[in-house]
Amino acid sequence: MEATLEGFASPHLFSGSTLDSYTSGVWHASALLADRVKAVRQPYSGASVTDLQAQVDAVDLDRPLGDTGAALHEVARLYLDNAIWFHEPTYVAHLNCPVAIPALSAEVLISAVNSSVDTWDQSATGTLIERRLIDWTAGRIGFGPGADGIFTSGGTQSNLQALLLAREETLAGLGEPRDAVLSRLRIFATAESHFSVVKSAGILGLAADAVVAVATDGDGRMEPGALAAAIDGVRRDGSIPMAVVATAGTTDLGRIDPVAVIAGICAEQAIWFHVDAAYGCGLLVSTRRRHLLDGIEQADSVTVDFHKSFFQPVSSSAIVVRRGETMRRIAVHADYLNPRTATVPNQVDKSLQTTRRFDALKLWMTLRTMGSEQIGDMFDTVVDRAHQAWEHLRTDPDFEVLTEPTLSTILFRYRPGPMSVEACDELMPRLRQELFRDGQAIVAGTTVGGHYWLKFTLLNPNTTMGNLKDVLDLIRGIGVRLSLPGENPREPMTGETTTAAVMA
Ligand SMILES: Cc1ncc(COP(=O)(O)O)c(C=O)c1O
């Protein structure tokens, strides 16, 4: 390879003259992936952090292999052989889904064309496709024609942007100097809401106690009476309500806050109403459970994570707002990119990001190939399965189950008759680690009411009751073994924690 007057001719740069290299590279990658996936029998190899660390560290990044095939084989050993496989039916831990194949076809196009949906002159039809999908999602929510939104990197970013809009709307309404007001702004959410709400408050420059925890009912849903009282209390203290965040699908219990009632309170009190439907958004396309989201159409903003319950590869999320004009408050114009005088649609005006992947194409391909009803049916299937699993767990004397599921999470623990609550709390995190080390199944863990629970999060419609019974048998077996006298606690997995927030 050398620089000539014609340019630097690298066979590794995608172009019309390197298509042999491109097609061979992509073919090789997909063939290798297929080869590995065919052999996968469990969600994890069980490799230890120490082993994998040594293998990754041993790679000399300054000595390239020079050949895509060789680099792929190295990556297969390092990454694919020890990946966490979300498509395996005994992966039932976090909010990760198996992915729709039409979306994977889209990924091939997205990364090679490499459009950036920040401006029209870097995306053209990409901008229009994203806008159609935002309109489609807004329609499913029940918003009118004035709605708008933008694709984001995930629920965390969508929630941040929603609260940014809420802050700007509140400040505009007050007309007082920003610095005098910021520390008095308050957000109302429950302890069950996602930790990105608290994180966002910090990023937005609000006070350390800006997020007011509203009490929940016995099932973990926001209590509307408690919300009204909390709002009154904040006003009496001279603080200013900025937003109420309801969750449609809490991370641990899958609960849906009473959205319609909360919407009424927010409308009466003129407070921005955000619904975090990162998890529950699959209900938007459900034929049997759409009613669970009734009232969502009254929200000011909604978070939807297509990469959770629409079976999309990461990243694919959006924030959708009822009144599109509220998004203009965050527009910043740069002469080189999106001047005020632009006459073409520039998505960057509405986004926290500048360069941005054309993730929308994945959802487009999925809808155009499978249709929304099939997505809704798959989500309904995992919710059905959660109910079956709950019924099963209720009758198994070796297990305790917390409550009936609303969506597709179930909190349970191995606690045969004579085991004390304290012993169970001590055993559960160890049991979960052992299960992870074994690799045949992966479950999550969390703390509720001061007690440690194991968690099934079901997002794979291929997971059968037979698979779940197998996982329960594995848990039972490990539980029996670890309960034997002399079984000492082993070193924890890296990152192991009992806080719900970190495991989410
Ligand atoms: C209710 C809820 N909101 C937001 C998020 C954050 O989404 P993401 O991981 O896509 O940033 C999660 C993640 O689990 C969630 O459960």
Side-chain angles (χ1 to χ4, degrees):
M1 246 180 331
E2 58 183 47
T4 66
L5 287 179
E6 283 76 46
F8 186 96
S10 168
H12 297 299
L13 278 187
F14 175 75
S15 78
S17 56
T18 53
L19 292 179
D20 283 351
S21 166
Y22 167 74
T23 45
S24 139
V26 171
W27 179 84
H28 235 98
S30 56
L32 197 73
L33 178 66
D35 181 64
R36 287 310 202 271
V37 169
K38 231 184 288 169
V40 166
R41 296 285 176 274
Q42 56 185 56
Y44 187 46
S45 67
S48 71
V49 180
T50 321
D51 280 355
L52 295 182
Q53 183 80 63
Q55 289 184 42
V56 171
D57 289 351
V59 173
D60 184 349
L61 289 174
D62 293 318
R63 293 183 57 166
L65 299 168
D67 170 60
T68 306
L72 276 170
H73 277 282
E74 184 179 77
V75 158
R77 177 175 55 78
L78 289 174
Y79 171 52
L80 296 184
D81 287 353
N82 300 294
I84 309 287
W85 296 107
F86 300 149
H87 70 272
E88 273 295 292
T90 54
Y91 175 87
V92 284
H94 302 292
L95 283 164
N96 309 111
C97 52
V99 289
I101 291 172
L104 296 182
S105 301
E107 283 282 11
V108 175
L109 307 183
I110 291 165
S111 53
V113 180
N114 203 24
S115 298
S116 177
V117 272
D118 50 332
T119 55
W120 174 258
D121 68 356
Q122 298 173 80
S123 60
T125 322
T127 286
L128 302 181
I129 286 178
E130 176 169 318
R131 288 185 163 208
R132 267 299 295 281
L133 285 168
I134 290 292
D135 290 348
W136 178 84
T137 311
R140 289 281 165 163
I141 291 169
F143 286 164
D148 203 350
I150 195 86
F151 272 66
T152 71
S153 63
T156 302
Q157 191 186 342
S158 297
N159 284 347
L160 171 63
Q161 180 157 354
L163 292 171
L164 171 63
L165 296 178
R167 186 190 76 180
E168 292 309 299
E169 281 291 303
T170 308
L171 289 172
L174 289 167
E176 290 179 46
R178 175 177 292 256
D179 289 350
V181 175
L182 268 188
S183 65
R184 287 159 53 212
L185 297 179
R186 296 290 179 268
I187 298 167
F188 301 86
T190 71
E192 306 298 326
S193 67
H194 192 256
F195 72 89
S196 53
V197 173
V198 171
K199 213 180 204 181
S200 300
I203 296 170
L204 294 173
L206 309 189
D209 58 351
V211 180
V212 178
V214 179
T216 52
D217 62 17
D219 264 343
R221 279 181 285 250
M222 186 181 282
E223 232 280 278
L227 172 65
I231 294 170
D232 281 352
V234 157
R235 288 202 201 278
R236 265 199 312 275
D237 288 352
S239 297
I240 303 158
M242 181 190 104
V244 173
V245 178
T247 311
T250 56
T251 316
D252 275 344
L253 294 168
R255 295 294 187 235
I256 299 174
D257 288 330
V259 171
V261 184
I262 298 169
I265 296 173
C266 291
E268 207 179 282
Q269 301 257 5
I271 304 172
W272 183 279
F273 180 35
H274 176 62
V275 177
D276 176 357
Y279 174 18
C281 63
L283 297 173
L284 291 173
V285 285
S286 158
T287 46
R288 290 190 276 132
R289 296 187 174 89
R290 172 61 183 82
H291 63 278
L292 294 178
L293 293 180
D294 282 355
I296 196 170
E297 70 287 350
Q298 297 172 60
D300 290 291
S301 53
V302 175
T303 287
V304 285
D305 260 10
F306 302 116
H307 63 211
K308 289 186 172 49
S309 42
F310 272 65
F311 307 95
Q312 296 297 291
V314 175
S315 292
S316 185
S317 174
I319 174 190
V320 188
V321 298
R322 184 163 47 83
R323 291 171 291 128
E325 67 273 16
T326 58
M327 296 198 82
R328 290 205 206 103
R329 296 208 184 276
I330 63 160
V332 177
H333 295 275
D335 289 343
Y336 83 94
L337 194 68
N338 60 334
R340 243 172 238 289
T341 52
T343 53
V344 287
N346 287 326
Q347 294 290 80
V348 71
D349 297 355
K350 300 182 270 188
S351 176
L352 299 185
Q353 293 168 254
T354 305
T355 305
R356 195 161 52 85
R357 273 172 64 83
F358 181 27
D359 285 315
L361 189 63
K362 296 181 288 193
L363 179 60
W364 182 274
M365 277 289 293
T366 306
L367 291 178
R368 297 303 298 140
T369 307
M370 297 165 54
S372 61
E373 206 167 296
Q374 215 180 114
I375 300 169
D377 286 348
M378 292 196 299
F379 191 60
D380 272 333
T381 301
V382 296
V383 178
D384 290 343
R385 189 76 66 246
H387 281 85
Q388 289 164 0
W390 176 70
E391 290 289 355
H392 175 81
L393 277 159
R394 280 199 319 161
T395 57
D396 190 324
D398 286 345
F399 290 94
E400 257 179 5
V401 60
L402 190 61
T403 52
E404 187 172 359
T406 303
L407 294 181
S408 62
T409 62
I410 308 142
L411 267 56
F412 66 99
R413 45 206 231 141
Y414 168 73
R415 187 171 164 234
M419 189 182 289
S420 71
V421 171
E422 293 73 26
C424 183
D425 280 335
E426 189 274 330
L427 178 68
M428 285 310 101
R430 285 199 290 133
L431 192 155
R432 184 174 160 248
Q433 286 168 31
E434 279 305 306
L435 190 67
F436 187 83
R437 279 195 189 94
D438 174 76
Q440 290 186 68
I442 305 181
V443 305
T446 191
T447 304
V448 175
H451 298 291
Y452 194 96
W453 295 85
L454 302 175
K455 178 167 74 163
F456 281 164
T457 303
L458 306 183
L459 273 187
N460 185 348
N462 292 320
T463 297
T464 62
M465 263 320 289
N467 297 131
L468 295 178
K469 285 178 189 169
D470 288 347
V471 178
L472 293 174
D473 283 343
L474 284 170
I475 290 172
R476 196 187 328 258
I478 296 172
V480 168
R481 180 163 55 77
L482 293 184
S483 305
L484 293 174
E487 266 295 326
N488 291 322
R490 296 223 214 141
E491 64 167 286
M493 295 190 297
T494 302
E496 174 66 14
T497 171
T498 56
T499 63
V502 177
M503 295 308 296

